[in-house]
Amino acid sequence: MAIGRHLLADFYCCEADFLNDPARIEGDLTSASTTAGADLLRTCFYRFHPQGVSGMVLISESHLAVHTYPEHAYAALDFFTCGRVTDPRTICELLVASFRPKVVATECLVRGQHLAEDCHK
Amino acid sequence: MAIGRHLLADFYCCEADFLNDPARIEGDLTSASTTAGADLLRTCFYRFHPQGVSGMVLISESHLAVHTYPEHAYAALDFFTCGRVTDPRTICELLVASFRPKVVATECLVRGQHLAEDCHK
């Protein structure tokens, strides 16, 4: 038994203008969440000056997070979903279509995989 | 060259009452952030009914996130810090002292490690 899957995605060589647009990024993250079947709870975004955006989307199934570095054409994202309905790989694919990175590196970890552990031992 | 470190922590066998207390959890996460030298930007927490808390803390260095499952005495946390000042392991140690899990499993990944990639190739 496990709680969910946590996918970490590094998007390299994105278009710098997109990485500096908090409204578009927030819109695309919330849209990817709901398209993937997640239930949206809260969003929280911040624009750095002179550049960069950080943001988080809370969903009933856990969260999405993004941190962009336009100066490196790079964005660090992660998608954590509990349960079986929402697949973090679907969210990732949808956001690759938005961010259009030339290079993507992902790693997917299982969260809470030792839940059967007996706490009273 | 890399952007930062992302530490994923599974806390098993925590005290259930603590896992259901959003104010204490938010206080301990924000306190751990600043104690570890991070610059606090925004917080966003949500309490599920009948139980469970999800929350995110945006810091200039990236984020902290938490999702608790009192029914499993389990909490999934992650700490992403860019730069060298704030060490996600310090944040993790501080929160182990708050959540008091009997079992901890962590994994630390380097983010943005292919930044030198030439986007114009």
Side-chain angles (χ1 to χ4, degrees):
Chain A
M1 185 185 173
I3 283 288
R5 291 163 288 178
H6 199 158
L7 192 156
L8 278 60
D10 285 325
F11 288 180
Y12 299 96
C13 302
C14 306
E15 189 202 326
D17 283 353
F18 181 82
L19 297 185
N20 223 10
D21 189 334
R24 278 179 69 192
I25 293 172
E26 180 170 355
D28 285 355
L29 262 73
T30 54
S31 165
S33 303
T34 51
T35 302
D39 175 39
L40 197 66
L41 296 176
R42 300 256 190 288
T43 64
C44 176
F45 278 75
Y46 185 88
R47 181 170 181 192
F48 294 92
H49 293 279
Q51 57 189 354
V53 173
S54 275
M56 316 196 81
V57 176
L58 273 186
I59 53 177
S60 292
E61 297 76 9
S62 292
H63 76 252
L64 288 71
V66 60
H67 305 281
T68 76
Y69 302 81
E71 68 276 31
H72 296 299
Y74 168 77
L77 296 103
D78 68 275
F79 319 115
F80 178 18
T81 61
C82 66
R84 289 165 187 269
V85 173
T86 303
D87 189 332
R89 291 169 301 186
T90 306
I91 296 174
C92 190
E93 284 162 18
L94 290 163
L95 291 173
V96 164
S98 303
F99 283 72
R100 296 202 276 176
K102 288 186 185 163
V103 180
V104 176
T106 62
E107 192 138 6
C108 194
L109 290 94
V110 175
R111 303 299 308 266
Q113 59 186 324
H114 302 301
L115 271 195
E117 198 94 32
D118 180 359
C119 296
H120 303 292
K121 269 194 283 198
Chain B
M1 184 185 173
I3 282 288
R5 293 163 286 178
H6 200 158
L7 194 156
L8 278 60
D10 286 326
F11 288 180
Y12 298 97
C13 302
C14 306
E15 189 202 326
D17 283 353
F18 181 82
L19 298 186
N20 223 10
D21 188 333
R24 280 178 69 193
I25 293 172
E26 180 170 355
D28 286 354
L29 261 73
T30 55
S31 165
S33 303
T34 52
T35 302
D39 175 38
L40 196 65
L41 296 176
R42 299 257 191 286
T43 64
C44 177
F45 279 75
Y46 185 88
R47 182 171 181 192
F48 293 92
H49 292 279
Q51 57 191 354
V53 172
S54 275
M56 316 197 80
V57 176
L58 274 186
I59 54 178
S60 291
E61 297 77 8
S62 292
H63 76 251
L64 289 70
V66 60
H67 305 280
T68 76
Y69 301 81
E71 67 275 30
H72 296 300
Y74 167 77
L77 297 102
D78 67 276
F79 319 116
F80 178 18
T81 62
C82 66
R84 290 168 186 269
V85 174
T86 303
D87 189 332
R89 292 169 301 186
T90 306
I91 296 175
C92 190
E93 283 162 18
L94 290 163
L95 291 173
V96 164
S98 303
F99 283 73
R100 295 202 277 175
K102 289 185 184 162
V103 180
V104 176
T106 63
E107 193 139 6
C108 193
L109 290 95
V110 175
R111 303 299 307 265
Q113 60 186 322
H114 302 299
L115 271 194
E117 198 96 32
D118 180 357
C119 297
H120 303 290
K121 267 193 284 198

